């Protein structure tokens, strides 16, 4: 599956990256990780920290799949509001998911602090705008709901926004504790750290089949060699849908533009992350060198494939949206732009855990706009299970789940 098209920004920020060999022999390990994006890198890092013998194989190059097309906004809030999730699933599972997301974001910050340079996260606040007067009531309800459960949220009126920004909106939630990242640098830093801790890394080593051995292990054909493992973590993101479709998941096209560096971003309060209630929605952030990244305008994948060239028109629209909100940036031009495959689940939750048709496999599918945070949740859950720590709350993210997640065990709330 072609995951992105157009001119990508992140590789230009890290022109020299580590290279890893092709797997060309027979190896053994406890855990084989398939996929060298943010999900696989997090699993590799956590397994290495716990002293588990692991191998990671990537079909192409590390961090060059969906990770390279990510916009790197990290927020504890989901695309589906907490109030909406409570109405769908009930209070216990909905609040537990939001608290898991908040904890996962803090873990990502901790992990990044062990990395160097551009691999580190930058802490930011988030501004969630009511796109119209009709959206104010629901967004205020969300703010009250978040506050009721001790989650970061402050209500800003239209006057509050006008004091801080050059645009006008009828209201917004302002929340601290979120972050932005260079996803390409983060994954490369994480994989290098995992390699230093003993994880064996292989690029251009596609997994092209597996079978069970007499001893109950899994023999996987990877690259030009084979890996025999006790467990396999499948961390290939949206491409997983090509061989194991989830009935509650669907893929869309999303678009991103990145500007030239701005002369000044003084009219952007605290350089916070910006998103809004309109759907298809728009989101914006800045970069360390003063660029503006805008993304969104999600749409169906025509024929199930990412359309070539469609990103040109969509990125022009995104640049217009930047100028509309920040008139002082009207002379700012776009330097990069791309389209990418984006996955969502119908209920707003990721898919995490085993599947009855694939014994000893664990799947990590962080679908939704908060994919990196969900990947952190999933990596910790799966690695806990593999190291003897029961995660009964994994059931709410089951690949075989119904529309109602199972209640969260009291000791895990």
């Amino acid at each position: 599956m072609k995951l992105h098209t157009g001119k990508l920004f992140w590789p230009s920020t890290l022109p020299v990256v580590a290279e890893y060999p092709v797997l060309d022999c027979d190896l053994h390990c406890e855990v084989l990780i398939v996929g060298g994006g943010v999900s696989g890198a997090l699993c590799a890092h956590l397994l290495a920290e716990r002293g588990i013998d692991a191998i990671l194989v990537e079909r192409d190059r590390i961090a060059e799949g969906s990770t390279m097309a990510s916009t790197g906004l990290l927020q504890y809030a989901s695309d589906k509001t907490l109030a909406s999730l409570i109405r769908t699933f009930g209070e216990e599972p909905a609040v537990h998911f939001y608290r898991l997301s908040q904890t996962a974001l803090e873990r990502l910050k901790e992990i990044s602090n062990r990395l160097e340079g551009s691999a580190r996260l930058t802490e930011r606040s988030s501004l969630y705008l009511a796109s119209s007067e009709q959206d104010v009531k629901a967004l205020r309800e969300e703010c009250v709901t978040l506050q009721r459960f001790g989650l970061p949220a402050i209500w800003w009126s239209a006057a509050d926004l006008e004091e801080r920004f050059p645009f006008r909106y009828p209201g917004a939630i302002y929340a601290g504790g979120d972050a932005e990242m260079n996803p390409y640098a983060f994954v490369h830093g994480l994989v290098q750290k995992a390699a230093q801790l003993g994880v064996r890394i292989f690029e251009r080593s596609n997994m092209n089949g597996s079978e069970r051995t007499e001893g109950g292990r899994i023999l996987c054909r990877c690259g030009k060699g084979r890996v025999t493992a006790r467990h396999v973590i499948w961390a290939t993101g949206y491409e997983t849908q090509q061989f194991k479709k989830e009935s509650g998941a669907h893929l869309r096209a999303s678009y991103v533009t990145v500007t030239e560096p701005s002369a000044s971003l003084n009219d952007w309060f605290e350089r916070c992350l910006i998103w809004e209630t309109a759907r298809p929605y728009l989101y914006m952030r800045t970069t360390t060198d003063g660029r503006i990244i805008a993304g969104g305008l999600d749409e169906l994948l025509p024929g199930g494939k990412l359309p070539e060239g469609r990103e040109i028109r969509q990125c022009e629209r995104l640049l217009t949206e930047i100028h509309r909100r920040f008139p002082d940036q009207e002379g700012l031009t776009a330097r990069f732009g791309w389209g990418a495959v984006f996955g969502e689940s119908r209920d707003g939750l990721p898919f995490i855990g085993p599947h009855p048709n694939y014994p000893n496999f664990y799947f990590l599918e962080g679908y939704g706009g908060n994919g990196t945070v969900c990947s952190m949740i999933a990596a910790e859950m799966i690695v806990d299970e593999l190291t003897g720590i029961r995660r009964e709350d994994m059931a709410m993210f089951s690949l075989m789940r119904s529309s109602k997640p199972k209640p969260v065990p009291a000791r895990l709330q």
Side-chain angles (χ1 to χ4, degrees), residues 240-241 244-250 346 351 355 363 365 367 398-400:
T240 308
Q241 291 295 307
K244 183 191 61 58
K245 292 187 179 296
E246 313 301 350
S247 60
H250 57 274
R346 290 197 186 99
F351 296 97
H355 191 285
F363 293 89
E365 302 170 43
Y367 292 173
S398 168
L399 280 67
M400 307 298 291

Side-chain angles (χ1 to χ4, degrees), residues 23-29 55 200 202 219-220 225-229:
L23 196 154
D24 61 359
C25 59
D26 288 359
L27 298 173
H28 292 75
C29 65
I55 290 172
R200 289 166 283 176
F202 298 94
L219 177 64
C220 304
R226 300 182 300 178
V227 176
T228 302

Side-chain angles (χ1 to χ4, degrees), residues 55-350:
I55 290 172
L56 183 149
V57 295
E58 162 57 38
R59 183 189 65 183
D60 294 314
R61 298 292 308 280
I62 295 297
E64 292 194 359
S66 294
T67 296
M68 197 160 62
S70 167
T71 48
L73 284 79
L74 304 179
Q75 298 168 301
Y76 84 84
S78 170
D79 283 355
K80 286 207 172 182
T81 64
L82 177 57
S84 173
L85 288 173
I86 288 173
R87 286 191 290 271
T88 302
F89 300 132
E91 190 173 287
E92 278 187 18
V95 173
H96 185 62
F97 173 52
Y98 259 63
R99 287 181 173 155
L100 281 174
S101 298
Q102 187 184 30
T103 301
L105 185 47
E106 293 306 311
R107 283 285 288 126
L108 285 165
K109 294 175 190 175
E110 291 171 13
I111 289 170
S112 87
N113 286 338
R114 303 171 204 160
L115 307 178
E116 297 179 359
S118 59
R120 292 190 169 193
L121 310 187
T122 301
E123 190 159 331
R124 297 287 187 205
S125 295
S126 283
L127 183 70
Y128 191 16
L129 296 162
S131 301
S132 67
E133 290 286 352
Q134 290 73 29
D135 295 338
V136 170
K137 182 180 178 181
L139 196 61
R140 289 206 73 154
E141 177 194 2
E142 176 66 2
C143 186
V144 170
T145 304
L146 294 169
Q147 291 172 340
R148 181 156 63 96
F149 294 103
L151 294 162
I154 301 170
W155 180 255
W156 279 1
S157 67
D160 293 326
L161 290 167
E162 199 166 352
E163 285 179 12
R164 296 169 172 86
F165 294 96
F167 49 70
R168 293 186 178 184
Y169 279 82
I173 295 173
Y174 199 70
D178 288 336
E180 66 189 25
M181 71 189 301
N182 176 333
Y184 189 67
F186 178 75
V187 169
H188 273 286
L190 206 55
V191 169
Q192 286 182 53
K193 181 68 71 173
Q196 291 168 8
L197 293 172
V199 178
R200 289 166 283 176
I201 313 292
F202 298 94
E203 293 181 316
R204 299 187 178 92
S205 300
N206 186 40
M207 177 168 163
N208 48 42
S210 66
E211 58 194 67
R212 304 194 69 78
T213 69
E214 290 184 6
R217 287 179 170 260
I218 307 165
L219 177 64
C220 304
R221 296 180 292 279
C222 306
K224 300 175 183 177
R226 300 182 300 178
V227 176
T228 302
R230 188 179 299 277
H231 301 281
V232 176
I233 298 175
W234 201 269
T236 56
Y238 309 139
E239 290 186 288
T240 308
Q241 291 295 307
Q242 291 185 293
F243 79 94
K244 183 191 61 58
K245 292 187 179 296
E246 313 301 350
S247 60
H250 57 274
L251 302 179
R252 303 178 71 84
S254 189
Y255 301 93
V256 182
T257 194
V258 182
T259 69
E260 296 282 6
S262 171
S264 171
L265 290 169
N266 291 336
D267 56 350
W268 193 312
F269 183 74
E270 294 184 346
R271 292 176 64 167
C272 60
L273 313 178
I274 298 175
W275 57 317
E276 56 182 281
T277 55
R279 296 295 185 269
Y281 68 109
L282 181 80
Y283 51 91
M284 297 182 183
R285 58 161 286 195
T286 61
T287 66
T288 54
D289 62 345
R291 301 173 191 269
I292 296 174
I293 300 177
L297 304 181
D298 299 358
E299 59 188 11
L300 293 174
L301 279 174
K305 294 181 179 180
L306 193 63
E308 292 276 357
R310 173 68 172 162
E311 75 279 357
I312 297 171
R313 172 61 183 146
Q314 294 295 76
C315 289
E316 288 174 353
R317 290 178 60 193
L318 289 169
L319 185 62
T320 299
E321 296 295 339
I322 293 173
H323 294 158
R324 186 166 71 84
R325 288 160 181 79
F326 294 95
D328 287 352
Q329 307 293 342
E330 195 166 356
L332 203 59
T333 58
R335 181 71 177 83
F336 302 88
W338 63 89
V341 175
F342 173 73
E344 296 177 308
S345 65
R346 290 197 186 99
D347 60 15
L349 301 181

Side-chain angles (χ1 to χ4, degrees), residues 354-385:
H355 191 285
N357 294 344
Y358 303 89
N360 289 60
F361 276 63
Y362 283 87
F363 293 89
L364 195 164
E365 302 170 43
Y367 292 173
N370 224 3
T372 299
V373 170
C374 287
S375 291
M376 183 75 248
I377 294 171
E380 288 212 304
M381 283 187 163
I382 291 170
V383 172
D384 277 351
E385 285 279 334

